[in-house]
Amino acid sequence: MTGEVDIYREWTGTVAPQRMGAHGDEYAAAAGPLGSEAIGASWGDTSLISECATALGLGARYLHEALTVLGSTMQRYGDGMHTAGRNITDAEHGSAAAIDRTGEPA
């Protein structure tokens, strides 16, 4: 282990956010067809099939909620990676400028 951290700015700043955005869109799209309504809520009796339909409806609702949150979280993560890549570049440019100024006569 060298103790160095290598950051690939181009990948971190452009490729990774694009991939995370695409995955976020996919999760959001997957949540759309599920809908948030309970499946089988209209069975109207207390039979075993009604209980199973209710459980299935709850599972579908929770899956819809999870996919929706996961999609937006992945989008924000990708945006954060883009910001991190930009901040690293800005910090390196600022550091280089400060080092160059230290060598100038006052």
Side-chain angles (χ1 to χ4, degrees):
M1 195 163 141
T2 63
E4 296 179 15
V5 177
D6 290 332
I7 298 174
Y8 300 102
R9 279 186 304 278
E10 182 178 341
W11 191 89
T12 304
T14 57
V15 177
Q18 290 170 354
R19 287 186 183 177
M20 294 304 293
H23 291 314
D25 291 343
E26 289 170 358
Y27 278 97
L34 291 174
S36 58
E37 298 85 26
I39 297 171
S42 63
W43 285 83
D45 61 16
T46 57
S47 67
L48 180 58
I49 191 74
S50 174
E51 294 297 319
C52 291
T54 300
L56 179 63
L58 282 173
R61 189 182 83 199
Y62 295 147
L63 178 60
H64 179 266
E65 291 172 4
L67 289 174
T68 301
V69 170
L70 185 57
S72 63
T73 300
M74 292 178 92
Q75 286 282 356
R76 285 193 315 272
Y77 186 77
D79 292 344
M81 291 179 78
H82 177 71
T83 302
R86 189 180 63 235
N87 289 345
I88 291 166
T89 300
D90 292 347
E92 285 184 349
H93 288 147
S95 297
I99 290 169
D100 288 344
R101 283 193 302 270
T102 58
E104 296 176 0

